[in-house]
Amino acid sequence: MNFIKLAICFGLMSAALGAPEQTLVGKAVRVLSGDTFALEVEGKLYKVRLEEVDAPEASQPFGKQAFDYLQELILHRALRVDVAFVDTYGRHVGRVVLAGGRVVNDEVIANGYGWHYRATPDPDKRLTELERYAFAHSLGLWMQVEPVPPWEHRREKTLPEAPRVAAEMDYDRVLHYGIVGDPQSRTYQWPACGGYTRAARIKKPVIFQTRQQAQEMGYRPAAGCPS
């Protein structure tokens, strides 16, 4: 099947799921990690990062297994990527679908080769259930007694600056930025705000990827936040 036919096929599937910010249809030509790969589209290469998935780092237990699993699943195969945004490193973060309809993000989580990366104001409930399934059946990384999430493995001693927009954001550091919203007051704050320690006491806090995202969802900076 050529790429024109694939694009039509994937386009129909995309329409049923709701329009993404951008759609890429191509072939996976190189796997870079357990959640990142290179996609070739008409001779042009794009770096793609699985949305809401965080695979073990190469230096962590199951890092190699996660890499091998993703490689076996997608390498040299036709894919559609429903891109949500592009981060500061040019990674196209999104939902990845194989030509037969299998969702790569789901497959990685369901088989225990990644965590559900809840780095969004509205985490995907389907991924939460798939992660619970993998945990209940001790699949992949869940064979370990106390597996360390990769975002904790990456955590720095110094807090990074909270990005304003997606183009300034490193998707791997979303949970480090500390942009937290309070659903009751409809305010948000980040570590640079005065009184930020109160964020830990927020009931059902909302995690934002950028300050712009918080504002677009109707939140305003809390008192004591820099302008």
Side-chain angles (χ1 to χ4, degrees):
M1 184 181 292
N2 62 34
F3 279 119
I4 294 176
K5 290 181 179 178
L6 279 171
I8 294 171
C9 174
F10 279 138
L12 292 172
M13 292 167 60
S14 181
L17 294 167
E21 288 295 317
Q22 179 186 7
T23 299
L24 299 173
V25 176
K27 181 174 66 175
V29 294
R30 184 183 176 192
V31 171
L32 304 171
S33 72
D35 53 36
T36 308
F37 63 95
L39 182 78
E40 183 177 3
V41 181
E42 298 180 346
K44 184 176 180 180
L45 292 179
Y46 295 84
K47 187 178 287 187
V48 176
R49 170 73 162 78
L50 299 179
E51 186 178 20
E52 288 197 57
V53 174
D54 206 356
E57 297 290 334
S59 58
Q60 289 188 272
F62 281 89
K64 183 180 185 304
Q65 291 93 325
F67 177 95
D68 291 344
Y69 177 76
L70 186 63
Q71 183 163 263
E72 181 180 354
L73 184 63
I74 70 170
L75 191 61
H76 305 311
R77 295 185 180 178
L79 302 169
R80 186 193 80 226
V81 182
D82 296 333
V83 181
F85 55 86
V86 181
D87 79 353
T88 190
Y89 294 113
R91 293 180 296 188
H92 290 65
V93 181
R95 184 174 182 270
V96 180
V97 186
L98 288 159
R102 294 164 67 193
V103 180
V104 175
N105 309 53
D106 295 1
E107 297 287 334
V108 171
I109 298 296
N111 287 282
Y113 291 108
W115 273 259
H116 180 196
Y117 188 44
R118 298 171 178 82
T120 175
D122 186 23
D124 191 330
K125 295 180 177 60
R126 181 185 68 260
L127 291 179
T128 296
E129 291 304 316
L130 292 175
E131 183 179 70
R132 287 173 181 166
Y133 173 87
F135 172 79
H137 292 81
S138 300
L139 299 177
L141 62 89
W142 300 110
M143 295 178 186
Q144 303 171 85
V145 177
E146 294 184 357
V148 177
W151 59 85
E152 291 298 337
H153 180 76
R154 295 189 297 263
R155 191 174 291 278
E156 307 114 321
K157 293 181 180 179
T158 304
L159 288 171
E161 183 179 350
R164 294 168 295 172
V165 296
E168 297 176 352
M169 175 184 59
D170 176 350
Y171 190 62
D172 291 340
R173 302 170 82 189
V174 170
L175 298 182
H176 302 186
Y177 293 134
I179 308 173
V180 181
D182 183 342
Q184 293 186 327
S185 65
R186 303 294 292 181
T187 61
Y188 72 96
Q189 51 185 303
W190 62 99
C193 299
Y196 176 73
T197 53
R198 293 195 301 271
R201 297 195 290 271
I202 296 174
K203 291 183 179 180
K204 296 183 178 180
V206 179
I207 304 300
F208 295 110
Q209 298 166 347
T210 65
R211 285 179 276 166
Q212 181 184 44
Q213 184 183 57
Q215 292 167 6
E216 288 176 347
M217 293 187 66
Y219 284 71
R220 66 184 190 281
C225 290
S227 58

